[in-house]
């Protein structure tokens, strides 16, 4: 069952405690900070005031029927309840009430750091009247308080327009009004509060959380990129919108084949793929919805067999992904005796495991066609991982090349890490990216500017090791650059010695 369906059957009080605990678990808020709310039917539920945010009993969740003037429950609601109500009301007034059913407020470290930027504010009167700030504060690439989502395609797609609300006393009606104004002026989902934190809305807590971590991860990578000495290079908004539109047009159609028999090998690969997805999430190499993992299925010997592979779905929580959530994609080829020729670009067919009567069908990752293109160009590549880990993404933000030759381990595992622009990588359904890989020459990892990291391998373990070591070495490199320059990589002679020692039998 898809994780989004699982979320729908969990009692709202339990759901709030689970997501608040998850915020704390990933150090995205503190013991005293952060609050969540959801609307279920005609009732609003909100986390309580005070207490330990890591452990909130479900029975302490406050609630009130929409239109009522007071909350029910043994503990008063969060002091920020006016802010939550203001967010819902602003979305209702803009006819988005069906799209906005959850509000998340948290104090994540990097976004809080962004909110401290002065931006020529009057330091003597941080609580100034809002009437002095009538201009539209939605996404401004020159505003140092706002991480520019145009720097990473995934963040742009997840977050939309980001706004800044002026400082106001926490829990005050003034703060609620400021948030109302920002959402009313066009903020899609995220508001940064000056000197405070962040407010995110979504159609579910999962979507709100995903938008939140997408922006926080982008902010982290922007901070990490500073030692590289290169400016982050945003893509023009019209280009990103065109790419997003193309991704939707290329969305893999969903079919259900009741006659398809799943082999034991496929079942084992499903289990392995889920294991590595959850492992990557646990190591913060991917977020709750970012990243796509795929694995090729072996041919069954049928003359009609072409390319078949498993891939992660779109929008399913990576922490809780299950074998049944994965999508099976197949690209058949014509047998020699067929009279009707099949197109050279035949449609990928998706076969979800879920029964047609299921309340929700998962859809394959929007990057599915890019995965298929790589598989088609490289019969010796069986696994593909697309991710945005924070340190490696710092290199993707700037387009700065990454040298793998600082340590023997990284030189052995990574060998030659390539860098591509977004345009080069994604043209013709990823053909530019596919042609860059060359496993025989040790090119198994590519940093795609404004996109993320793509690693490949003969097995899930090999592709994952590539990703893990790449992120580790990007972290080491960036930390070393904060201490000294220039850095001292292995010499040409040392690299040759390592190559001969580890690859002499290859």
């Amino acid at each position: 069952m898809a994780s989004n369906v699982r979320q729908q059957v969990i009692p709202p009080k339990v759901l709030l405690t689970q997501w608040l605990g998850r915020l704390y678990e990933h150090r995205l808020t503190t013991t005293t900070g952060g609050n969540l709310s959801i609307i279920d039917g005609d009732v609003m539920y909100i986390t309580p005031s005070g207490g330990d945010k890591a452990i909130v009993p479900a029975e302490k969740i406050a609630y009130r029927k929409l239109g009522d003037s007071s909350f029910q429950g043994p503990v008063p609601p969060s002091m920020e309840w006016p802010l939550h109500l203001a967010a819902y009301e602003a979305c209702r007034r803009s006819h988005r009430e069906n799209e906005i059913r959850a509000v998340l407020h948290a104090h994540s470290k990097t976004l809080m750091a962004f909110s401290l930027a002065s931006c020529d504010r009057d330091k003597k009167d941080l609580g100034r009247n809002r009437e002095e700030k009538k201009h539209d504060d939605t996404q401004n690439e020159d505003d140092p308080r706002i991480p520019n989502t145009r720097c990473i395609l995934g963040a742009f797609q997840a977050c939309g327009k980001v706004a800044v609300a002026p400082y106001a006393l926490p829990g005050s009606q003034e703060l609620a009004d400021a948030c109302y104004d920002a959402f009313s002026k066009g903020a899609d989902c995220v508001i940064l509060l000056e000197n405070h934190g962040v407010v995110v809305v979504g159609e579910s807590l999962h979507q709100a959380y995903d938008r939140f971590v997408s922006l926080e991860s982008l902010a982290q990578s922007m901070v990490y990129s500073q030692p590289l000495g290169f400016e982050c290079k945003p893509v023009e908004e019209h280009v990103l919108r065109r790419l997003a539109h193309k991704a939707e047009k290329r969305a893999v159609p969903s079919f259900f084949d009741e006659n398809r028999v799943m082999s034991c090998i496929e079942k084992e690969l499903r289990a392995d793929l889920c294991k590595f997805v959850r492992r990557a999430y646990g190591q913060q190499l991917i977020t709750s919805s970012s990243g796509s993992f795929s694995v090729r299925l072996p041919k069954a010997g049928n003359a009609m067999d072409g390319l078949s592979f498993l891939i992660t779905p779109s929008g399913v929580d990576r922490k809780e992904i299950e074998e049944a959530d994965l999508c099976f994609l197949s690209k058949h080829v014509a047998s020699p005796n067929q009279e009707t020729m099949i197109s050279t670009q035949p449609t990928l067919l998706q076969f979800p495991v879920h029964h047609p009567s299921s309340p929700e069908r998962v859809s394959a990752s929007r990057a599915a066609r890019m995965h298929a293109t790589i598989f088609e160009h490289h019969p010796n590549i069986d696994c593909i991982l697309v991710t945005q880990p924070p340190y490696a993404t710092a290199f993707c933000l700037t387009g700065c090349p990454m040298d793998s030759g600082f340590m023997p381990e990284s030189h052995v595992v990574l060998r030659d890490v390539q860098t591509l622009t977004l345009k080069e990588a994604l043209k013709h359904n990823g053909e530019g990216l596919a042609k860059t890989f060359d496993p025989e020459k040790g090119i198994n990892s590519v940093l795609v500017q404004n996109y993320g990291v793509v690693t490949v391998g003969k097995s899930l373990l090999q592709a994952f090791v590539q990703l893990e070591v790449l992120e580790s070495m990007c972290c080491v490199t960036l930390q070393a650059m904060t201490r000294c320059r220039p850095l001292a990589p292995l010499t040409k002679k040392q690299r040759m010695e390592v190559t001969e020692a580890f690859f002499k039998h290859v």
Side-chain angles (χ1 to χ4, degrees), residues 213-450:
V213 296
S214 294
L215 196 67
E216 172 71 10
S217 296
L218 171 62
Q220 288 177 354
S221 295
M222 292 180 72
V223 171
Y224 297 154
S225 71
Q226 291 181 1
L228 295 174
F230 291 83
E231 290 291 327
C232 296
K233 301 177 180 179
V235 180
E236 292 298 320
E237 184 169 338
H238 70 89
V239 175
L240 289 176
R241 291 197 180 281
R242 186 171 69 248
L243 287 171
H245 178 65
K246 285 184 177 180
E248 293 299 331
K249 288 183 67 176
R250 291 196 301 262
V252 177
S254 179
F255 298 91
F256 188 87
D257 183 7
E258 295 180 342
N259 299 316
R260 192 177 76 86
V261 178
M262 192 183 304
S263 67
C264 292
I265 293 178
E266 180 180 337
K267 293 177 183 179
E268 292 172 356
L269 286 174
R270 283 179 178 271
D272 285 345
L273 188 54
C274 286
K275 178 181 69 176
F276 277 101
V277 171
R278 291 191 292 263
R279 182 169 169 182
Y281 179 83
Q283 294 197 24
Q284 298 182 348
L285 298 170
I286 57 175
T287 64
S288 56
S289 293
S290 72
S292 55
F293 287 28
S294 66
V295 59
R296 187 197 299 266
L297 289 170
K299 293 184 179 181
N302 190 319
M304 288 293 290
D305 265 356
L307 170 65
S308 298
F309 61 97
L310 301 173
I311 191 168
T312 47
S314 175
V316 173
D317 191 346
R318 280 17 182 175
K319 181 180 181 181
E320 299 180 351
I321 195 167
E322 295 180 354
E323 287 82 352
D325 295 328
L326 300 175
C327 297
F328 168 86
L329 303 186
S330 182
K331 197 168 187 179
H332 296 296
V333 296
S335 59
N337 58 356
Q338 267 193 309
E339 295 181 4
T340 303
M341 296 297 295
I342 295 179
S343 168
T344 56
Q345 291 287 337
T347 302
L348 280 167
L349 303 182
Q350 175 185 336
F351 302 98
V353 171
H354 303 95
H355 193 273
S357 62
S358 171
E360 180 174 329
R361 289 265 198 99
V362 294
S363 297
S365 166
R366 287 175 294 200
R369 292 189 185 277
M370 183 181 76
H371 285 250
T373 301
I374 296 173
F375 281 134
E376 289 176 321
H377 277 73
H378 298 280
N380 56 341
I381 289 178
D382 288 333
C383 300
I384 304 168
L385 312 183
V386 181
T387 61
Q388 294 88 38
Y391 291 102
T393 302
F395 285 81
C396 299
L397 287 172
T398 61
C400 181
M402 186 269 177
D403 185 354
S404 64
F406 283 99
M407 297 177 63
E409 180 196 23
S410 61
H411 181 60
V412 169
V413 174
L414 300 175
R415 297 176 71 183
D416 188 2
V417 179
Q418 294 289 301
T419 301
L420 280 181
T421 66
L422 184 65
K423 182 179 180 180
E424 292 172 331
L426 299 188
K427 65 181 179 183
H428 303 308
N429 291 330
E431 188 172 319
L433 176 61
K435 289 181 177 179
T436 302
F437 288 109
D438 191 339
E440 291 186 2
K441 294 183 179 179
I443 304 176
N444 295 302
S445 302
V446 178
L447 301 170
V448 181
Q449 192 174 343
N450 305 116

Side-chain angles (χ1 to χ4, degrees), residues 86-87 89-91 93 175-185 191:
E89 179 61 17
C91 295
R93 290 288 183 95
L175 179 61
D177 291 344
C179 289
Y180 179 92
D181 286 353
F183 278 120
S184 298
K185 289 177 180 177
I191 296 178

